[in-house]
Amino acid sequence: MLNIEKDFEEIKIAMKIDHEDDDGGVKRAFISAVATVKGAIGRDKSAFYDQDTDIVELINTAVIMMANHYYDAASATIESSTANGTLREYDLGYTSIISLLKAEYKVFKEGETNGG
């Protein structure tokens, strides 16, 4: 999984941020996104986030999507007005990735080799 200290420039590139004016804001958004993704998937199996599989790329994608949204909009939702008021929804791309990762997390066995 991406690491804020080791992979900071890669994270900024993925978020399409080419300045250093708000590196603190980028770091806050990324750290918050990691917490959000881990909270949505689960925290009990720490090795799940460090596997050497394509699952880690899905995790990274979800984190980048959420971090980018936190950074740009300071919110994890999309707002739209309806006749009944304002509706707040999670982005479909993020939600579908999290759903897939939750299923993978559920069957993941801590301590087993998961290369791939």
Side-chain angles (χ1 to χ4, degrees):
M1 187 167 141
L2 290 170
N3 177 291
I4 192 65
E5 300 304 325
K6 186 179 73 161
D7 304 311
F8 187 61
E9 289 306 314
E10 181 181 345
I11 292 163
K12 284 177 62 174
I13 290 168
M15 292 174 65
K16 298 183 178 20
I17 297 170
D18 60 359
H19 56 79
E20 297 177 4
D21 299 344
D22 192 21
D23 282 358
V26 174
K27 287 181 180 181
R28 272 189 304 282
F30 183 81
I31 290 166
S32 297
V34 168
T36 300
V37 169
K38 285 184 175 182
I41 299 169
R43 297 178 185 276
D44 296 333
K45 302 174 185 177
S46 60
F48 179 79
Y49 300 98
D50 297 322
Q51 329 174 45
D52 186 20
T53 68
D54 56 352
I55 295 300
V56 172
E57 290 307 317
L58 279 174
I59 295 167
N60 289 339
T61 299
V63 170
I64 291 295
M65 288 172 77
M66 186 57 71
N68 194 50
H69 193 72
Y70 280 159
Y71 184 77
D72 287 343
S75 171
T77 58
I78 299 169
E79 291 188 13
S80 59
S81 295
T82 65
N84 297 327
T86 301
L87 177 66
R88 297 174 71 89
E89 301 176 16
Y90 281 97
D91 173 64
L92 179 61
Y94 172 81
T95 302
S96 63
I97 289 172
I98 291 297
S99 294
L100 175 65
L101 289 170
K102 284 173 122 174
E104 291 289 336
Y105 183 86
K106 188 172 185 172
V107 298
F108 179 79
K109 303 278 191 251
E110 193 87 48
E112 288 186 6
T113 302
N114 293 299

